[in-house]
Amino acid sequence: MARLRLHDRCITTRVHLQIPARYRHEPVISRLISEFGLAVNITGAMVGSNTDERGYFDLELRGTVLQISNGLAFLKSLDLKVVGKPNSDGDEWHY
């Protein structure tokens, strides 16, 4: 039986993602699923359609270490603010 390599192991991480108004109509979260293969659970959100202010999403991301790293790099490439949150399962993996 082959041992599961560390980067193949599925993990869950929680992040707080701040979304500027200019990304309001962009499929940012959808791209995390379709392009990076992540499972995304939205645990909290505040977005307004009639405001020029930023919104936010609290997300649980589930995938391999590589998938999560690539997904977070994508978010940062858009110049979005990503803040780590403690995991509910206590595995200490967060950014």
Side-chain angles (χ1 to χ4, degrees), residues 23-88:
Y23 285 111
R24 183 174 299 128
H25 299 289
E26 298 294 323
V28 173
I29 294 173
S30 177
R31 289 180 65 186
L32 290 174
I33 298 164
S34 64
E35 293 181 24
F36 301 98
L38 293 171
V40 177
N41 183 27
I42 301 170
T43 59
M46 186 169 78
V47 292
S49 59
N50 297 325
T51 181
D52 292 331
E53 308 244 347
R54 71 179 57 212
Y56 76 85
F57 289 94
D58 287 334
L59 305 174
E60 285 183 353
L61 305 176
R62 181 157 181 79
T64 65
V65 172
L66 183 61
Q67 287 171 315
I68 289 176
S69 294
N70 289 340
L72 292 174
F74 160 71
L75 295 174
K76 290 181 181 184
S77 76
L78 298 176
D79 202 27
L80 301 179
K81 184 171 182 182
V82 179
V83 179
K85 295 183 72 174
N87 285 319
S88 57

Side-chain angles (χ1 to χ4, degrees), residues 3-4 7 15 17 22 44 75 87:
R3 289 184 55 182
L4 188 63
H7 67 274
V15 296
L17 175 64
R22 70 179 178 270
L75 295 174
N87 285 319

